[in-house]
Amino acid sequence: MSLLDVQGLVKHFPIKSGLLNRQTATVRAVDGVSFAIAAGETLGVVGESGCGKSTTARLIMHLIEHDAGNIAFDGKTVGSQHMQLKELRRQMQMVFQDSYASLNPRLTIEESIAFGPQVHGLGRTEARARARDLLARVGLNPAQFIRRYPHELSGGQRQRVNIARALALEPKLVILDESVSALDKSVQAQVLNLLADLKQEFKLTYMFISHDLNVVQYISDRVMVMYLGRIAEIGPVGEIYSNPRHPYTRALLSAMPSVDPDDRTEAPPLTGDPPNPINPPSGCRFRTRCEHAEAVCKQKEPVLNMIGTGHSAACHMMNAGSGHSKIIPIAVAA
Amino acid sequence: MSAPLASAAAAVFTEPPPVVVSRGYWATVFARVLRDKVTVFCALVLICMLLMAIFAPWIAPKDPTATSMLKRLALIGSEGYLLGTDELGRDMLSRLIYGARLSLFIGIVPVINAFLIGTLLGVLAGFLGGRVNTVIMRTIDVFFAFPSVLLAIAISGALGAGIFNSIVSLTIVFIPPITRVAESVTTQVRGLDFVEAARASGANALTIIRVHILGNVLGPVFIYATSLMSVCMILASGLSFLGLGTKPPAAEWGLMLNTLRTAIYTNPWVAALPGVMIFTTSICFNMMSDGLRQAMDIKE
């Protein structure tokens, strides 16, 4: 059974303007997203800025309320009597991108980490003991760091503190929202290794959000590619990186910088910005930037189609009955 | 502990341990204030004023209300009257010393009251947002429509003269600006990730405000409030001058300025003295507030 099961998640942000504050438009930040995360796996989430990655994370954490859809954790619907919000928040934690803004500048490192357990009823002394223990586990000497303030730490150290803070509640699922993106490469590698170790040690499940394809490839078991509030493709990491099926995934992957001079990327694979999520294109949302776009892409919205073991893509070319002229046979998938 | 973690941990531990002993935020601010000579000087002046007010009966050479028809409007430096006498022959030095009591009291107390009430309103409006914010902030805007002097006079006039009433009216005058500052700082802090993280750990609104919001909001609002103290002193003096604040024969700088104004041509230096005191005190409050602001602006 999957640890997290998301069905048809929708979040539209109203844009209000004018004297009477009337709703004039809607940002379709997340528009019908369904996926599941199995216990113990790492789901990587990639996509351009504004594709709804972070909104999805915040919806799952219930930091913002979803408009429609269903989120089940451990088989229990969140918000029902089986899974109260406070209990969910103990089992699910999040690490943010900005390591500085995610620590209260007025609290010591120890106080910041001990805050969560104290909210959940742990005594002050026990909470602080746990904070020290966790600091050691994330590779920071407790004796040196407990009394210090966030501005005295480096970015990498702060992000370790944030990880410790998230783990302080002993969660099952940790959502890492661009958690290593702001760190420089060498520190990033250290923190990634730390995350991998902690995952084993505490039997964690990760949802790893990033725009860095290399990092996602390194840490993920499965990868979900998002485009304008929808899932473009989802599948095992090997499948996605070696056999991408959605034109958007292919474009993203070909944009990955290569270190091989013979394998130089010549032309920019994707031009322009993603269309405005206020008025997304009709039919397939990627059609405005897709080289294979046809009339059918404008008329019909493609659905996520199973094209292999655990591998799905939302593209008319993957769907034999769609009427697209370039149907790609999905015989390769086995 | 597995191998990569051990190596990562070792990498951190082998860094030379920093010898910096972390001071708390306020300790750091205090150390920074001490380095700023102007601020220290202004703070010392204000402390002197405060001590002068507290120990007035022991410091003042004469009874501040003892009149003498013979020695009216004595010049500065007259025998027995270091700073001369006022229009009723009362010793100016003693009256200025005693005046510090009332003047500081009605300069500081309204700001403290307004600081408490305004911060409460501002934090509520900023943190809760939505309707609560609209109701509080639009009400505050109504008060902003009046110039502060006019508002103070209007409220004082309606309530009647007296120290208590002028404190009430000045408190009402200062609640709107403090509320607005508190609201804007709270709105800023509320959007930061650590507040999100606190919500994500399941803390309720009250805990978040207590632990995460107040610590970050009180500082800036406090600075702003100290800068208002000078304005408050001047407004309070203004109310007394107009006869809406303290009543004679009480010694209060604003009131003294009023009663001495008839003597401005005969003995201008003595007549200007209460003004000098008001000016000195308010400029010291302002400079100190500026210094505090700089000291609290710790970048890294």
Side-chain angles (χ1 to χ4, degrees), chain B residues 111-273:
Chain B
V111 177
I112 293 176
N113 290 343
F115 175 66
L116 296 177
I117 301 169
T119 309
L120 179 75
L121 288 174
V123 167
L124 280 181
F127 189 78
L128 298 175
R131 292 253 162 88
V132 180
N133 185 299
T134 311
V135 169
I136 294 179
M137 296 319 286
R138 293 298 83 79
T139 312
I140 291 300
D141 283 348
V142 174
F143 285 91
F144 265 110
F146 302 97
S148 55
V149 184
L150 218 59
L151 189 61
I153 293 172
I155 300 171
S156 274
L159 295 174
I163 297 173
F164 179 78
N165 285 346
S166 45
I167 286 178
V168 171
S169 80
L170 289 172
T171 303
I172 296 174
V173 166
F174 288 114
I175 288 174
I178 291 181
T179 305
R180 181 167 278 186
V181 170
E183 190 255 358
S184 83
V185 179
T186 307
T187 311
Q188 242 171 43
V189 172
R190 186 186 65 156
L192 292 176
D193 284 346
F194 66 82
V195 177
E196 287 267 272
R199 283 177 62 209
S201 28
N204 59 32
L206 213 62
T207 315
I208 294 176
I209 290 180
R210 187 170 52 80
V211 180
H212 293 289
I213 303 280
L214 278 186
N216 290 286
V217 170
L218 285 184
V221 179
F222 176 74
I223 293 182
Y224 181 65
T226 54
S227 79
L228 288 179
M229 283 182 181
S230 64
V231 183
C232 185
M233 279 211 45
I234 291 169
L235 277 184
S237 301
L239 287 180
S240 300
F241 182 87
L242 292 171
L244 289 170
T246 46
K247 286 179 226 161
E252 199 273 334
W253 297 336
L255 186 64
M256 288 162 72
L257 206 58
N258 181 13
T259 52
L260 275 167
R261 75 179 194 281
T262 46
I264 198 88
Y265 297 112
T266 46
N267 198 344
W269 294 110
V270 170
L273 280 175

Side-chain angles (χ1 to χ4, degrees), chain A residues 10 13 15 25 35 52 65 77 79 94 103 110 144 181 196 199 262 265 273 280 285 291 293 305 309-310 313 333:
Chain A
V10 174
F13 293 106
I15 291 182
F35 64 94
E65 289 308 311
T77 300
M94 186 158 170
L103 289 171
E110 187 184 36
Q144 247 180 58
S181 308
K199 187 183 168 192
D262 297 329
T265 312
D273 293 323
R285 293 184 179 197
E291 51 180 325
N305 244 351
T309 327

Side-chain angles (χ1 to χ4, degrees), chain A residues 11-165:
Chain A
K11 180 69 190 179
H12 292 176
F13 293 106
I15 291 182
K16 292 178 176 172
S17 63
L19 200 61
L20 297 172
N21 222 14
R22 263 190 296 218
Q23 182 175 340
T24 50
T26 312
V27 178
R28 296 161 177 268
V30 174
D31 209 6
V33 164
S34 305
F35 64 94
I37 306 179
E41 76 167 349
T42 299
L43 176 73
V45 182
V46 293
E48 285 164 288
S49 314
C51 71
K53 297 172 296 196
S54 291
T55 308
T56 307
R58 274 156 216 263
L59 287 171
I60 294 171
M61 283 301 298
H62 285 257
L63 288 172
I64 44 181
E65 289 308 311
H66 51 264
D67 296 335
N70 188 40
I71 300 171
F73 187 82
D74 228 356
K76 291 165 242 170
T77 300
V78 177
S80 68
Q81 50 180 342
H82 307 290
M83 176 61 88
Q84 298 291 330
L85 204 53
K86 191 163 177 176
E87 177 57 19
L88 169 87
R89 283 176 168 164
R90 201 181 62 69
Q91 305 212 9
M92 214 195 271
Q93 279 293 299
M94 186 158 170
V95 180
F96 299 86
Q97 170 172 13
D98 186 339
S99 66
Y100 189 60
S102 44
L103 289 171
N104 185 342
R106 299 284 180 275
L107 296 186
T108 61
I109 300 309
E110 187 184 36
E111 287 165 341
S112 275
I113 301 175
F115 176 76
Q118 279 176 292
V119 164
H120 286 269
L122 204 65
R124 193 185 160 92
T125 331
E126 292 96 325
R128 298 202 165 194
R130 189 184 284 183
R132 272 169 232 180
D133 179 47
L134 279 165
L135 268 179
R137 305 256 190 135
V138 297
L140 297 175
N141 184 353
Q144 247 180 58
F145 284 94
I146 47 169
R147 299 254 173 271
R148 306 185 75 183
Y149 288 85
H151 69 93
E152 302 172 305
L153 271 57
S154 71
Q157 290 170 336
R158 277 200 295 264
Q159 207 54 299
R160 284 167 193 266
V161 172
N162 280 319
I163 292 168
R165 192 254 311 271

Side-chain angles (χ1 to χ4, degrees), chain A residues 237-310:
Chain A
V237 63
E239 271 285 293
I240 295 279
Y241 279 78
S242 62
N243 185 22
R245 306 302 296 269
H246 196 285
Y248 178 60
T249 315
R250 271 184 258 160
L252 269 188
L253 290 174
S254 66
M256 266 170 90
S258 166
V259 283
D260 182 358
D262 297 329
D263 189 24
R264 185 167 301 193
T265 312
E266 296 292 345
L270 270 183
T271 46
D273 293 323
N276 195 335
I278 292 176
N279 285 311
S282 64
C284 174
R285 293 184 179 197
F286 185 59
R287 72 178 163 81
T288 51
R289 297 161 89 193
C290 181
E291 51 180 325
H292 309 290
E294 290 183 358
V296 62
C297 301
K298 191 172 182 175
Q299 288 149 10
K300 276 200 296 182
E301 197 159 354
V303 288
L304 260 183
N305 244 351
M306 189 74 109
I307 49 172
T309 327

Side-chain angles (χ1 to χ4, degrees), chain A residues 211-243:
Chain A
H211 59 262
D212 187 330
L213 294 160
N214 286 310
V215 168
V216 168
Q217 183 176 22
Y218 174 78
I219 200 157
S220 308
D221 300 313
R222 286 196 307 138
V223 175
M224 175 162 100
V225 183
M226 287 186 72
Y227 188 79
L228 279 187
R230 287 189 151 260
I231 298 175
E233 188 166 4
I234 182 168
V237 63
E239 271 285 293
I240 295 279
Y241 279 78
S242 62
N243 185 22

